[in-house]
Amino acid sequence: MVPGTARIAHLTHALDASAVMELLPGRPRLLALGEPTHGEDTLLDVRNALFRQLVEREGYRTIAVESDCLAGLRVDAYVTTGAGTLDEAMEHGFSHGFGASAANRELVRWAREYNTGRPAADRLRLAGFDAPLEMTGAASPRRPLTALHAFLTSWLSADGPSDGLLPRTADTLDALLGPDGRWTDPAALTDPSRSCGRSPEAVQLALIAHDLVSLLDERAPQLIAAAGREAWDRARLHGRTATGLLSYHSWLADTTPARMTRLVSVRDRMMAENLLALAERGPVLAFAHNAHLQRERSSMRMGDERLEWWGAGSIVSARLGPAYGFLATALGTIRHQGVDAPPPETVEGLLYALPEDRFLVDAPGLAGALGDPLPAPRVSPWFGYFGLDPAHLRKADGLVFIRDVRS
């Protein structure tokens, strides 16, 4: 039986950083805030407010968003040093069209303003942690692979000739890569025969990328001393992006039933690697879809096929344990998308009956109050909104509920 609102009111809290920390066993190295849909600035405004509080009260200095990790270098440069302009950062620093968001723009503007006049160690950082992928296809591995090769060429030769260390020259890489169009063909997403991911050139590039990443790790003491930790970390980003993209392209060319599951798995594994690397330098707030950040196995339907895979959050949680915190988000209405008031027998309907517009819920406590069997998941009338799965409440540290999302 679904309990009345009076029985769960004590499980709700004001939506602020202090209340979040009280729900957690300690300050996490990586605090993940999920969203059940993309493109709604109401959700990003909540994220921005929480990040500001985490900065001011808890010492957080990095926010990571579900956007291209390489494009993110552009916006991070603007935020940390003022390189370029705000317009350029928004146009070139985000993928998936997220640069058009007013809330994202406000986040970047505020972070740049906060950093002005501060020492480097105290500045805010803004990172993308998604792979360089769009719905229509994947990027060429050219940029990260050539950047990694250039870094190694430059800094290994700083201590003398590097003959024999680097597996190939830049010209060889360029010849093997060929035109970028052969990598970015959108038809490859649905037609494996259009992918070059298992061509002889791609196989050779994957071996080269592995060797370059190995060399980067083997020579870490020398390279960090010569180039600095920041530059070495950026080379690591280029290395894992190059190897990840080459793996993704290889699975684009696959013709077995595992193809789509492996594609979404590779993407989330790349996300997880980026998040773990960011967490090495201090506490991070990560923001992405619930499905990428939850501790449980992720799932979705693609046509007639149901895909299940371990998302970035589940991977990071397995690695960090209690140093990973996760807040899911659920919504009442998105009326401009046809999502009206939730049925009262759903978790969203129960929370919608409470008077507050937005609040934080003790998710495991709510699961206990609901008892067994848990309510059925809400069925969304709009494909872009993923209703809360009540079975996931026990493994979330908290649940953010927003009553109404307005355009």
Side-chain angles (χ1 to χ4, degrees), residues 49-321:
L50 179 61
F51 181 57
R52 290 190 186 195
Q53 294 174 3
L54 291 170
V55 168
E56 295 162 357
R57 304 176 192 175
E58 302 293 336
Y60 279 66
R61 290 295 179 268
T62 299
I63 182 168
V65 298
E66 187 185 340
S67 182
D68 180 346
C69 58
L70 299 185
L73 296 173
R74 181 73 171 265
V75 72
D76 187 56
Y78 173 76
V79 164
T80 54
T81 70
T85 67
L86 176 57
D87 286 343
E88 290 168 347
M90 301 311 298
E91 182 178 358
H92 302 292
F94 292 89
S95 59
H96 312 326
F98 294 160
S101 160
N104 278 336
R105 186 181 185 89
E106 174 57 20
L107 172 67
V108 175
R109 185 208 62 77
W110 175 78
R112 176 64 206 134
E113 180 181 277
Y114 182 95
N115 285 340
T116 302
R118 292 182 183 268
D122 193 38
R123 291 174 190 162
L124 304 183
R125 306 293 299 267
L126 199 157
F129 71 92
D130 200 355
L133 308 172
E134 293 284 358
M135 287 298 294
T136 54
S140 164
R142 177 184 305 279
R143 178 183 172 187
L145 191 56
T146 56
L148 174 60
H149 188 274
F151 174 84
L152 290 169
T153 300
S154 176
W155 292 105
L156 289 177
S157 62
D159 277 358
S162 58
D163 295 346
L165 284 178
L166 293 173
R168 294 291 187 275
T169 66
D171 287 343
T172 302
L173 288 182
D174 188 64
L176 289 170
L177 285 161
D180 284 346
R182 67 196 292 254
W183 298 95
T184 58
D185 182 359
L189 186 63
T190 54
D191 182 358
S193 69
R194 298 291 295 271
S195 171
C196 66
R198 294 191 177 177
S199 65
E201 294 85 359
V203 172
Q204 192 170 355
L205 284 167
L207 293 172
I208 293 170
H210 179 273
D211 285 345
L212 292 177
V213 171
S214 180
L215 188 57
L216 184 69
D217 289 336
E218 293 161 14
R219 296 294 178 119
Q222 172 190 349
L223 294 167
I224 292 172
R229 180 59 186 252
E230 182 79 16
W232 185 75
D233 279 342
R234 180 172 295 199
R236 289 173 68 205
L237 169 62
H238 284 132
R240 61 181 177 266
T241 305
T243 56
L245 280 174
L246 286 162
S247 177
Y248 190 90
H249 280 288
S250 176
W251 282 103
L252 276 174
D254 184 66
T255 57
T256 72
R259 179 177 185 262
M260 291 307 301
T261 298
R262 288 309 310 271
L263 287 174
V264 294
S265 298
V266 168
R267 179 190 177 193
D268 269 84
R269 188 256 301 167
M270 293 174 72
M271 287 177 149
E273 290 175 348
N274 287 333
L275 288 174
L276 288 166
L278 290 168
E280 290 176 5
R281 68 188 187 199
V284 178
L285 175 67
F287 183 78
H289 200 282
N290 287 331
H292 291 304
L293 298 177
Q294 66 194 30
R295 288 187 173 95
E296 296 85 351
R297 215 169 177 187
S298 300
S299 64
M300 62 182 250
R301 297 206 69 86
M302 185 167 287
D304 294 332
E305 186 177 5
R306 177 179 170 83
L307 305 180
E308 293 188 356
W309 73 100
W310 293 105
S314 62
I315 297 169
V316 174
S317 180
R319 295 277 296 275
L320 295 184

Side-chain angles (χ1 to χ4, degrees), residues 338-406:
V339 181
D340 293 322
E345 68 276 10
T346 63
V347 172
E348 289 95 328
L350 183 65
L351 298 175
Y352 192 75
L354 296 173
E356 294 85 359
D357 180 60
R358 58 190 63 174
F359 49 87
L360 179 67
V361 185
D362 176 347
L366 178 59
L370 292 171
D372 291 318
L374 290 167
R378 178 186 188 184
V379 177
S380 173
W382 175 49
F383 74 93
Y385 170 64
F386 286 59
L388 175 73
D389 186 343
H392 292 176
L393 286 171
R394 290 188 177 92
K395 289 190 177 181
D397 296 294
L399 174 67
V400 173
F401 184 75
I402 300 173
R403 181 180 175 83
D404 298 297
V405 173
R406 298 177 175 86

